Structure formats: C-alpha cells, structure tokens
Amino acid sequence: MDNASVLAGFRQFTPESIRAAMTHCRANVAEADLCCREVLRACADNPGLLAEEAARHELSCALLYLSYRRDQLAGPDLLRLVSQAEFSQPLAETDWLVRNLHRFLAALLDPGEITAISALILNHNLATEVREQALLTYPFRLQENAIEEKLVVDEYRRLLTAAIGKKRQDDPRLWMAAAINAAVIGGNKLRLLLNTVLDSGLLQDQTTFSRRIISGIFQIGSQHFRDVFRKEHRGHLVDIDAEIDGLFAPPEAPAAELPERGEPKTRTEPKIGRNDPCPCGSGKKHKKCCGA
C-alpha cells in the first residue's frame, strides 16, 4: 500500500478501508505524517474542498491519524483551517469532525498557544459550534494536566471581559457555557466578574437560567460539576480502532447534569445532593429542608 492507496481508503470511508489505511500509516510513520499533513494543508489552503463529502472523509481520517501522533507540526495548518468561516459551512454540528475539534486542537497545538484558542472563541465570523469546541479545549487540557489552572482562569477573565467590552449581539449559548465553565474552574477568583457578566446583557435570554446555575455552583461548590467534566472527558485519541468505531456511531446524548448549548434537556437547576446545604440559605441539609 502506498500513499495513494491510503487516501483512497480514507475516501472510501468504511471501517475496513480506514483500518487497513491506518495499519499502513502506523507501520510507515514518516511517509504517513507527510501525507496526512498535506491533506490538512490542502484544506487549509482551500476550505472549499470540504464541500465534497469524500474530502471531508479524507480530512477526518487525516486528523485522526495526526492527533493520534500528536503531531504539533500540523498545528499551524489546523489553526489556519478552523480560523476560516468556510471551514464549518458544509459541516453539521453533529459531524464527528466538529464534535472532536477540541481534541484535535488539544493534540496538535502547542500547549503554550492558549491565545490562539482564545482568538477562535472571540472570532464572531466563525460558527458557534466551532467557537464552543475551542472553549472545550480549556477543560480538556486541564484534565490532561497539560496547562496550569491559573492560566485558564486568567484566560476566562480575559475572554469574558473582552466579550462584555464589545457590546454587540453574540450567541448567548457560547457565553453561557464560558460563564459556567469559569464558575466551575475559577470559583471565587472570578465571582465579581461573573456577576458583571450576568448583569451586562451578554447572555441575553440565557441570563436567568445561567444565574441559577452559577448561583448553585457557588452554593454547593464546584466539585460536583468538576466530577461531571471528569466523567465526560474522553482524553486524547490514543485508540485508533475505538475512534474508527466512533466515526460511524451516532452522536452521544449530552450529559444531563450540564446545560447543552444553553437548552437544558432534563432539569432547569443544578442537581443538589440530599446531604448538600439547602440552597434556600437555611443552613440545614437539603433533605431536612426544601428537599424533604
């Protein structure tokens, strides 16, 4: 099998053809690295190529391989690709390529390039799902111990301050997610800023719901929500066979404990344990007060 056969296997896009191509790639890493980087570079040069389904399949497989290799030489081209509005136009938010974008960013970007991630989040020309995926890179890197918590807290502060300062309409779902993540990770360090965010109008029709969630985080503590992040964390793409199965699996349902894109599915308030302090402020356990 040569590089042309590898790309043909990617484009054929069956579990069997992809596995055969990946087996060859892992046995010939130098050639495969160059081949998959070139696929990514071509899309970054001309994102209009992704209008063709076969090109999207080829890119998905190339990114799977490059992320498995954690090939940071591919990072600049990935950043260049996703920074273009044309990247997401032919993609649905449920596509594997979109749902795993934060994992690609975490694997291929240099850990010090946090400002590049923030630039994606602040880019109003990009689709909300791309910006949300960039936002997910922060907790991902924290879970992988690839970045210091203080740096993430500082970046949340910068992002939220910049969003308030722009004073323009933006998708409130994105900033609701940013505010809730900031509350969980930043805690009291960001409490005053989060109150400003809630009062600023930035969250628009998500303000009331966000206020309840953030209030609950500060009342019962962030550990429950950190546990949710930990439970949902899938880590780097290290098992190619499992990831190939994921290429053909339907998207997983979002976790019920956290809001999905600003529209909660199963509850309108944070889950409160029976032994947690009652959020009414009585000082009693929830099971002895409002939860009785």
Side-chain angles (χ1 to χ4, degrees):
M1 180 178 280
D2 56 13
N3 285 346
S5 300
V6 166
L7 297 183
F10 288 171
R11 284 177 168 257
Q12 186 179 347
F13 207 67
T14 65
E16 296 75 20
S17 70
I18 297 171
R19 284 194 169 90
M22 289 294 181
T23 298
H24 175 81
C25 288
R26 284 181 287 182
N28 300 272
V29 294
E31 291 180 11
D33 288 356
L34 291 173
C35 177
C36 290
R37 283 183 208 142
E38 183 54 39
V39 170
L40 176 57
R41 184 174 299 115
C43 291
D45 289 341
N46 182 13
L49 293 173
L50 298 177
E52 181 190 354
E53 184 178 51
R56 297 197 296 273
H57 291 164
E58 188 177 81
L59 177 63
S60 295
C61 295
L63 284 173
L64 169 55
Y65 171 78
L66 292 169
S67 297
Y68 165 78
R69 292 274 294 152
R70 299 194 204 178
D71 182 5
Q72 292 183 0
L73 291 177
D77 282 327
L78 174 63
L79 188 61
R80 192 159 56 90
L81 173 62
V82 300
S83 296
Q84 300 178 69
E86 296 91 337
F87 162 68
S88 60
Q89 286 177 355
L91 302 173
E93 66 178 280
T94 55
D95 284 352
W96 184 89
L97 191 58
V98 176
R99 290 184 286 118
N100 288 278
L101 183 55
H102 66 288
R103 301 171 79 197
F104 306 148
L105 290 168
L108 302 185
L109 290 187
D110 185 287
E113 291 189 277
I114 195 167
T115 55
I117 295 169
S118 296
L120 292 175
I121 298 167
L122 290 169
N123 188 341
H124 293 80
N125 295 320
L126 302 183
T128 296
E129 53 266 27
V130 171
R131 300 167 72 194
E132 286 176 331
Q133 286 290 315
L135 182 64
L136 286 175
T137 311
Y138 292 143
F140 185 100
R141 284 184 163 176
L142 278 178
Q143 293 287 354
E144 293 293 320
N145 297 313
I147 195 170
E148 293 183 3
E149 185 172 296
K150 180 183 181 300
L151 187 58
V152 176
V153 172
D154 289 344
E155 209 60 22
Y156 279 136
R157 181 180 290 110
R158 187 175 80 84
L159 282 170
L160 292 169
T161 300
I164 296 170
K166 286 183 180 296
K167 296 188 182 301
R168 59 174 289 177
Q169 290 289 315
D170 199 359
D171 194 322
R173 301 169 299 173
L174 171 71
W175 295 109
M176 184 193 73
I180 291 173
N181 285 358
V184 172
I185 295 170
N188 284 323
K189 302 182 191 72
L190 297 177
R191 191 165 191 166
L192 289 177
L193 175 59
L194 288 167
N195 287 334
T196 302
V197 169
L198 290 168
D199 294 336
S200 69
L202 176 67
L203 305 185
Q204 300 173 47
D205 61 341
Q206 302 295 331
T207 300
T208 300
F209 175 69
S210 301
R211 197 182 297 276
R212 284 201 300 269
I213 291 287
I214 291 172
S215 175
I217 291 170
F218 285 120
Q219 285 173 351
I220 68 176
S222 65
Q223 189 56 51
H224 166 74
F225 296 89
R226 285 177 178 248
D227 289 343
V228 172
F229 284 168
R230 190 174 299 110
K231 182 176 69 175
E232 295 300 312
H233 180 68
R234 291 186 294 148
H236 284 292
L237 294 88
V238 296
D239 186 338
I240 283 188
D241 285 333
E243 297 297 340
I244 291 172
D245 291 338
L247 278 167
F248 299 93
E252 296 178 2
E257 292 90 341
L258 289 177
E260 164 65 10
R261 293 180 57 79
E263 299 170 2
K265 302 299 184 185
T266 60
R267 63 169 60 99
T268 58
E269 297 178 296
K271 182 178 179 181
I272 301 171
R274 286 174 53 76
N275 290 314
D276 291 327
C278 190
C280 74
S282 66
K284 299 179 182 179
K285 291 184 178 181
H286 185 54
K287 67 183 180 182
K288 298 287 188 181
C289 191
C290 298

